[in-house]
C-alpha cells in the first residue's frame, strides 16, 4: 500500500477518534452538563414579587445573581459545544476528498498494470512462447524445457503478486473511502446538532439577559453602603512567586485588578468570571474553554489541601463560578455585577473543586 493511501487511512482514523480532555477524574461536575443543557428545553422561572425597598432588593439579589451567572455560564458552555461541533464538521469534510482521491489513484494504478500484463501476454502469445507445448517443441533438451517452464512460471508469479498487491491497495483505499462516507454522515449529523445548539443558545441567552436585567434593577435600588457591604472586603494582594502556566496566568489576571464585572465579558475592559480566567490563561499561552463548567474538566484534579498558586478554583454544583488561586487562602476572580476584579478569601462552603493546568 502506498504512503499516500496509508496517510489517508490514518487521517480518517484520526478524525473519528475523540481524546478525553483529561485522564484524571474531574471534580464533582457532570461532564455532560453542557450537552444536557443544550438538550433540555429552556424555561424561565417565574420572577419573584418586585421588592418595594432596598432591604427587600438586597434579599432577592443573591438568588438572582446566582441564576444569571449560572445561565451565562450555560450560554458559554453552549458556545463551546457549538464551536466543537463546527470543528467536527470541518474535520469530517476534510477527510472525504483525500480518501476518494486515494481510491481513484489505486484503481488507476491497478488498471494501468493490468494493461501492461495484457500487453506482455499478447506479445508472448504472438511469439509462440506461451504454453508448455511450444516450450517443449522449442527446447533442445529436457533441461532447456524445464528452464523455459521455470521462467514462464516465475514471470506469471511476479505478475500475479503485483496484481494482488494492487488489488489489496484498492480494497484498503475503498475501505478508507467507506470510512470517509461515514464521516460525511457524521458531519451532517453534527450540522444538525450545531443548528439545534444554536437555537437553544439563543433561548438561553434570552433567559440570561432577563435575569441580568432583573439583577441590574435590584442593584440600582441598593444604597452605596449596601453595595459596599454586599461586595465585601477584598483580600490583600499576595506576593506572586514561582513559574509555570498557572502562575503566569495569575500574574496576567493581577494586571486586571479593579476592572468591572460584566456578564458575558471577556476583556480587556471588563470580565465575567470565566472571561477573566480564559483571558489570563491565554496570556500564559493556554487556550481554555470559555465556560467555567468546561474549564472544570481540563488539567488534573486538585484537592482543597493541595491548592497552589495558579490553580483554577471552582464554586457550586454544577459549577458556575471560577477564579485563580493566589495563595494564603485567597484567589483572584471577577465576582459579580456591581463588583470588580479583586482578591478574595476562598469560600470553603462554595468550593467544589480545583484543577491544575
Amino acid at each position: 500500500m502506498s504512503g499516500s493511501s496509508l496517510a489517508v487511512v490514518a487521517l480518517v482514523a484520526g478524525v473519528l477518534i475523540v481524546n478525553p480532555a483529561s485522564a484524571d477524574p474531574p471534580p464533582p461536575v457532570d461532564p455532560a452538563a453542557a450537552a444536557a443543557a443544550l438538550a433540555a428545553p429552556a424555561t424561565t422561572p417565574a420572577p419573584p414579587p418586585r421588592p418595594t425597598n432596598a432591604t427587600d432588593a438586597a434579599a432577592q439579589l443573591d438568588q438572582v445573581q446566582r441564576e444569571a451567572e449560572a445561565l451565562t455560564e450555560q450560554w458559554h458552555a453552549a458556545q463551546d459545544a457549538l464551536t466543537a461541533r463546527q470543528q467536527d464538521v470541518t474535520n469530517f469534510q476534510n477527510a472525504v476528498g483525500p480518501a476518494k482521491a486515494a481510491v481513484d489513484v489505486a484503481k488507476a494504478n491497478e488498471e494501468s498494470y493490468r494493461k501492461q500484463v495484457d500487453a506482455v501476454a499478447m506479445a508472448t502469445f504472438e511469439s509462440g512462447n506461451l504454453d508448455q507445448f511450444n516450450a517443449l517443441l522449442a527446447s533442445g533438451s529436457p533441461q532447456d524445457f524445464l528452464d523455459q517452464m521455470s521462467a514462464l512460471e516465475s514471470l506469471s508469479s511476479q505478475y500475479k503478486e503485483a496484481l494482488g498487491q494492487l488489488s489489496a491497495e484498492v480494497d484498503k483505499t475503498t475501505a478508507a473511502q467507506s470510512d470517509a462516507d461515514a464521516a460525511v454522515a457524521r458531519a451532517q449529523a453534527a450540522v444538525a446538532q450545531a443548528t439545534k445548539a444554536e437555537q437553544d443558545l439563543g433561548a438561553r441567552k434570552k433567559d440570561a439577559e432577563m435575569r441580568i436585567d432583573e439583577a441590574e434593577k435590584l442593584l440600582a435600588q441598593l444604597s452605596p453602603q449596601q453595595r459596599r457591604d454586599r461586595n465585601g472586603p477584598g483580600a490583600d494582594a499576595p506576593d506572586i512567586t514561582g513559574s509555570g502556566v498557572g502562575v503566569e496566568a495569575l500574574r496576567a489576571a493581577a494586571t486586571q485588578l479593579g476592572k468591572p464585572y460584566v456578564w458575558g465579558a471577556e476583556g480587556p475592559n471588563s470580565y465575567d468570571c470565566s472571561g477573566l480566567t480564559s483571558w489570563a490563561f491565554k496570556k500564559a499561552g493556554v487556550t481554555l474553554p470559555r465556560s467555567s463548567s468546561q474549564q472544570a474538566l481540563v488539567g488534573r484534579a486538585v484537592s482543597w489541601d493541595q491548592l497552589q498558586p495558579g490553580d483554577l478554583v471552582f464554586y457550586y454544583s454544577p459549577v458556575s463560578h471560577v477564579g485563580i488561586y493566589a495563595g494564603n487562602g485567597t484567589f483572584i476572580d471577577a465576582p459579580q455585577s456591581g463588583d470588580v476584579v479583586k482578591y478574595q478569601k476562598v469560600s470553603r462552603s462554595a468550593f467544589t473543586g480545583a484543577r491544575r493546568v
Side-chain angles (χ1 to χ4, degrees), residues 114-158:
R114 286 188 184 278
K115 289 179 179 178
Q116 294 178 35
V117 172
D118 290 344
V120 172
M122 182 59 69
T124 305
F125 178 79
E126 290 175 348
S127 67
N129 295 323
L130 185 62
D131 55 25
Q132 294 182 10
F133 181 71
N134 284 332
L136 178 60
L137 293 178
S139 63
S141 67
Q143 186 59 48
D144 289 342
F145 171 73
L146 293 175
D147 290 344
Q148 290 187 48
M149 287 307 303
S150 177
L152 287 171
E153 290 177 1
S154 176
L155 183 62
S156 175
S157 177
Q158 291 174 7

Side-chain angles (χ1 to χ4, degrees), residues 240 248-258 276 279-280 332 341 343:
I240 302 176
E248 290 304 313
L250 175 61
R251 287 195 177 98
T255 67
Q256 305 303 294
L257 289 168
L276 175 65
W279 180 90
I332 187 171
V341 175
Y343 290 105

Side-chain angles (χ1 to χ4, degrees), residues 66-220:
R66 282 285 306 279
E67 289 176 356
E69 185 171 47
L71 283 167
T72 301
E73 290 303 303
Q74 289 175 9
W75 172 41
H76 294 324
Q79 287 183 314
D80 288 341
L82 177 56
T83 299
R85 288 178 180 134
Q86 289 173 332
Q87 186 59 52
D88 286 342
V89 172
T90 300
N91 291 341
F92 289 141
Q93 290 175 336
N94 286 344
V96 174
K100 291 183 177 179
V103 174
D104 292 340
V105 169
K107 288 182 176 179
N109 288 341
E110 182 186 37
E111 181 63 22
S112 176
Y113 194 77
R114 286 188 184 278
K115 289 179 179 178
Q116 294 178 35
V117 172
D118 290 344
V120 172
M122 182 59 69
T124 305
F125 178 79
E126 290 175 348
S127 67
N129 295 323
L130 185 62
D131 55 25
Q132 294 182 10
F133 181 71
N134 284 332
L136 178 60
L137 293 178
S139 63
S141 67
Q143 186 59 48
D144 289 342
F145 171 73
L146 293 175
D147 290 344
Q148 290 187 48
M149 287 307 303
S150 177
L152 287 171
E153 290 177 1
S154 176
L155 183 62
S156 175
S157 177
Q158 291 174 7
Y159 285 145
K160 182 177 180 180
E161 181 181 357
L163 282 172
Q165 291 175 349
L166 288 168
S167 295
E169 184 171 352
V170 170
D171 291 341
K172 290 178 182 179
T173 52
T174 299
Q177 181 180 356
S178 178
D179 288 341
D181 290 339
V184 172
R186 288 173 181 264
Q188 292 171 341
V191 169
Q193 288 179 332
T195 301
K196 172 65 172 66
E198 189 173 17
Q199 292 172 347
D200 191 75
L201 181 95
R204 289 199 173 278
K205 188 173 183 295
K206 290 179 181 178
D207 286 348
E209 288 171 346
M210 291 176 64
R211 286 290 178 263
I212 290 167
D213 181 64
E214 184 177 354
E216 295 288 359
K217 290 177 180 177
L218 291 171
L219 278 169

